[in-house]
Amino acid sequence: MGLIPDWLLYGSAVALMVIVPGRWADKSLSPPAPPPPPPGEAALFATYSPFSTNEIISLPIMNDIDYRGTAFSVSKSGEWVLARESIRNCRYPFLNLGGNLGVRIRVQYKRSLDNYVLAVTESGARPLPFADPKTIKPGMRGFMPGFPQDQAGEATGRLIGETRLKTGKRFEAPETVLAWAEAGHTANLTGSLNKLLGGPTLDAQSQVIGITLKTKPRRGRLYSSTPATLAKIGNTPSRTYDFEHEDLLTRRNYGIVSDTLRREYRVAQVGCIQS
């Protein structure tokens, strides 16, 4: 049997990259996020959050706070993955609990990872499990819960494959990432979804595939880290795997499941106290 010419393989790959993502753009809109609870319920956040009461702080007035992205739990002992950009030039980073309450975080940097950090709290939420890299295939659907515009929201996409993404920083090599064709997001959200930055990209079993990066709405693209990058930062010595049942994610329920992850603080909002 003769070998297939290189030009034919290349042409087929280009055709798939251009034509198939267009067919995936089915725009499965999730319902709007539920409204935030009234201020009178603030005390409940301290009572029912997974954090110890001594690490919960009252946040200053809103003018002194900048919400920058999303984080997710990788250890019940209090370890969180987030993007370095979320805490850049920030003296007092925190996780938002809602109700004007937050939890201060300590940041651990890794020399081998320029764009991601590990944050630490005294206690934490149930960790999200990691997906087996062997199950990740082009065409699969991914789900990205977080806080895209300083409020609860999520997006979904179809995996195109690996690509190289420029960081925009001088002397820094492009990062190998996963590219997704956007296939839906929270209803009524328009414009940038870039504050999904640092949150998890999940498969249909609610397992983490990668760390969500930037979005390009005009191109209909979402980007996440590769599983290899996720493993470098997320496989911490204290990480213990939790084999409780995880909710299955579909194009119809991903908004509801995302709300549950946020309500349980497995996915949390990253903020910065300016003063």
Side-chain angles (χ1 to χ4, degrees):
M1 181 177 177
L3 296 176
I4 300 175
D6 290 344
W7 64 265
L8 183 57
L9 288 174
Y10 179 78
S12 300
V14 170
L16 286 172
M17 290 285 285
V18 173
I19 298 172
V20 175
R23 297 177 63 184
W24 290 337
D26 48 17
K27 293 298 177 187
S28 306
L29 297 182
S30 70
E41 297 182 10
L44 296 177
F45 290 97
T47 303
Y48 293 103
S49 82
F51 303 99
S52 59
T53 54
N54 65 321
E55 61 181 325
I56 296 176
I57 61 174
S58 295
L59 300 175
I61 60 175
M62 293 303 296
N63 290 342
D64 291 332
I65 295 176
D66 182 18
Y67 291 108
R68 297 186 174 185
T70 304
F72 63 96
S73 174
V74 293
S75 170
K76 197 169 185 177
S77 64
E79 290 171 311
W80 310 79
V81 168
L82 61 153
R84 186 183 294 253
E85 189 65 30
S86 297
I87 47 86
R88 193 178 302 279
N89 300 322
C90 178
R91 293 182 60 189
Y92 303 109
F94 68 92
L95 299 180
N96 183 28
L97 298 186
N100 203 43
L101 298 175
V103 176
R104 287 281 301 274
I105 57 177
R106 292 175 287 112
V107 178
Q108 297 179 350
Y109 297 93
K110 292 195 174 185
R111 292 183 179 180
S112 60
L113 293 168
D114 293 324
N115 300 319
Y116 312 95
V117 296
L118 190 71
V120 180
T121 54
E122 292 181 15
S123 52
R126 188 159 64 94
L128 287 167
F130 288 0
D132 182 348
K134 295 179 182 177
T135 65
I136 300 172
K137 308 290 184 184
M140 69 180 292
R141 187 180 283 269
F143 304 91
M144 303 176 184
F147 300 85
Q149 294 178 3
D150 294 347
Q151 61 185 5
E154 54 277 331
T156 181
R158 294 280 196 171
L159 179 59
I160 302 171
E162 288 190 355
T163 187
R164 301 277 285 173
L165 188 65
K166 293 182 178 180
T167 62
K169 304 178 183 66
R170 294 182 63 186
F171 310 116
E172 194 169 294
E175 180 183 355
T176 299
V177 300
L178 298 180
W180 303 77
E182 184 188 338
H185 54 72
T186 306
N188 303 327
L189 278 183
T190 58
S192 172
L193 303 176
N194 277 342
K195 290 187 181 180
L196 290 172
L197 175 76
T201 296
L202 306 172
D203 65 11
Q205 283 71 46
S206 293
Q207 298 175 332
V208 187
I209 299 168
I211 307 164
T212 305
L213 302 173
K214 66 176 61 179
T215 66
K216 294 185 178 180
R218 291 186 179 181
R219 294 192 61 197
R221 293 291 182 268
L222 308 165
Y223 298 94
S224 73
S225 74
T226 63
T229 300
L230 172 68
K232 288 180 183 179
I233 190 171
N235 284 334
T236 63
S238 61
R239 177 174 171 81
T240 56
Y241 289 87
D242 195 323
F243 294 99
E244 289 186 26
H245 171 74
E246 298 291 343
D247 289 325
L248 295 180
L249 281 157
T250 70
R251 57 179 290 188
R252 293 177 176 83
N253 76 354
Y254 72 97
I256 297 172
V257 176
S258 295
D259 289 335
T260 299
L261 294 175
R262 286 184 290 256
R263 188 166 54 250
E264 296 176 351
Y265 298 105
R266 302 176 76 185
V267 174
Q269 187 176 33
V270 180
C272 177
I273 300 175
Q274 302 284 23
S275 57

